[in-house]
Amino acid sequence: SIYPVYKGLKPNRSIREVSAQDIGKLITFTGTVISISVPKSILINAMFKCTNCGQIHSIEQESEDLDKPTFCDKCKNKKFMLLENESIWESYQDIAIQEMPDDIDVGAIPRTIPCVCIGKHLTDRCLPGDVVNVTGLVKTRWNKTKVYTLIVGINNIEPLSKDVFNAELSSEDIAKVKEWGTNPNIREILIKSIFPSIYGYREEKYGVLLC
């Protein structure tokens, strides 16, 4: 990455607090990864060749669409060919991060913020279910209307937890598990512990518990 990576910053926002006033600001928040896309490639700097005279034009890509030269400054031609092998590409991945349970009001639906990772050092850093600390720049994504979607361009992402198979249990934890195991209502207790802020959906929560 050609940009400095900010590590170890403490969260200064919750996902619920991110608003239009944060556009252009660097923020840090904690959340749970709920989905990630397959890594793709994105153009950072595109090289175009004039189809008339062969003049090469370098265009830095800053928008959602492919930015092309308006005309050739040598022969005024307006037709170009993209030189894929000479252009600069980077790894790209979409990540959706959901707010932590402690940040959710009673009865409220959990909020999710879309994030983008650009650079091999940021892609495939986490998996769905991981709790992560994210530092990034709040930006907008064009919807071809005057209404824009807020997204976070990730500068650094630090996994804070891994899956339960990597967890280390202390003797106190094991004793507590055995104690709960003797409770005849353990199944209902566990079902109610899944998304407690969302009322109902017992069968769905039971399915999640079994998974």
Side-chain angles (χ1 to χ4, degrees), residues 1 34 36 46-47 61 99 165-166 187 194 211:
S1 172
I34 60 171
I36 60 174
M47 304 296 287
Q61 301 298 305
E99 63 183 333
F165 299 105
N166 292 329
R187 181 169 61 182
I194 295 177
C211 289

Side-chain angles (χ1 to χ4, degrees), residues 31-37 39 93-97 115 117 120-134 154 156-163:
T32 304
V33 178
I34 60 171
S35 69
I36 60 174
S37 71
Q93 190 171 42
D94 286 303
I95 298 181
I97 300 179
C115 302
C117 296
K120 192 173 181 180
H121 64 294
L122 291 174
T123 55
D124 285 335
R125 287 280 303 275
C126 56
L127 296 171
D130 285 350
V131 175
V132 293
N133 201 50
V134 174
I154 293 181
N156 187 38
I157 182 167
E158 301 176 68
L160 302 179
S161 69
K162 292 295 181 179
D163 58 69

Side-chain angles (χ1 to χ4, degrees), residues 43-144:
L43 260 176
I44 302 299
N45 193 288
M47 304 296 287
F48 291 93
K49 181 179 180 180
C50 175
T51 58
N52 182 49
C53 68
Q55 175 83 352
I56 303 299
H57 298 260
S58 175
I59 304 294
E60 186 175 353
Q61 301 298 305
E62 297 180 347
S63 67
E64 293 281 327
D65 299 320
L66 179 63
D67 294 327
K68 302 178 181 179
T70 305
F71 57 86
C72 179
D73 54 12
K74 184 177 181 180
C75 68
K76 308 305 179 183
N77 178 47
K78 295 183 179 180
K79 293 184 179 181
F80 300 89
M81 178 176 64
L82 175 65
L83 303 177
E84 295 184 356
N85 292 339
E86 297 179 24
S87 299
I88 298 175
W89 301 78
E90 266 287 16
S91 298
Y92 175 98
Q93 190 171 42
D94 286 303
I95 298 181
I97 300 179
Q98 190 175 86
E99 63 183 333
M100 300 295 292
D102 292 344
D103 296 328
I104 304 173
D105 297 330
V106 177
I109 297 175
R111 292 191 183 178
T112 302
I113 191 164
C115 302
V116 257
C117 296
I118 297 179
K120 192 173 181 180
H121 64 294
L122 291 174
T123 55
D124 285 335
R125 287 280 303 275
C126 56
L127 296 171
D130 285 350
V131 175
V132 293
N133 201 50
V134 174
T135 297
L137 188 70
V138 180
K139 303 190 290 185
T140 57
R141 174 171 282 168
W142 186 41
N143 292 334
K144 296 185 178 180

